[in-house]
Amino acid sequence: MWVGLVVGTLEGFVAKGYWVSVYTAVLDWEKVAAYDPLAGAVVREFGGRLLSRGERVLGYDGGIAERTVLVEFESFERAVAARESAAYQEALAVLGDGVERDFRIVEGLD
């Protein structure tokens, strides 16, 4: 069981938000190539910062050693807004069935 201790106050604290996308399979690299600039424009529009779009991945403890994308946003809410935006929905339509992936948004600690 994890037990956390918080010292001080969190007043005014805004946790960053992260898109974490692990591609379990890339089925069509042309669709990925068409999706990338569209998704990148959304990330920039919402103030996101691409931290990793790596093909060089090691998987440990059951992890998948495939393309992993990590994007940082100034807040969890901005990360969600970017994902739900009309522009990102258009990017997803272009990506279509070109990949199988695990996409999630996580809240950061700072």
Side-chain angles (χ1 to χ4, degrees), residues 3 26 36 41 56 64 83 96:
V3 177
V26 176
D36 279 348
R56 189 173 183 193
I64 298 168
R83 175 63 169 81

Side-chain angles (χ1 to χ4, degrees), residues 68-103:
T68 301
V69 178
L70 179 62
V71 179
E72 178 184 69
F73 291 87
E74 65 188 33
S75 70
F76 183 81
E77 290 74 21
R78 289 292 286 179
V80 171
R83 175 63 169 81
E84 294 178 354
S85 71
Y88 191 70
Q89 298 311 305
E90 290 174 17
L92 285 176
V94 168
L95 182 60
D97 61 357
V99 301
E100 294 173 2
R101 67 182 186 163
D102 176 357
F103 184 100

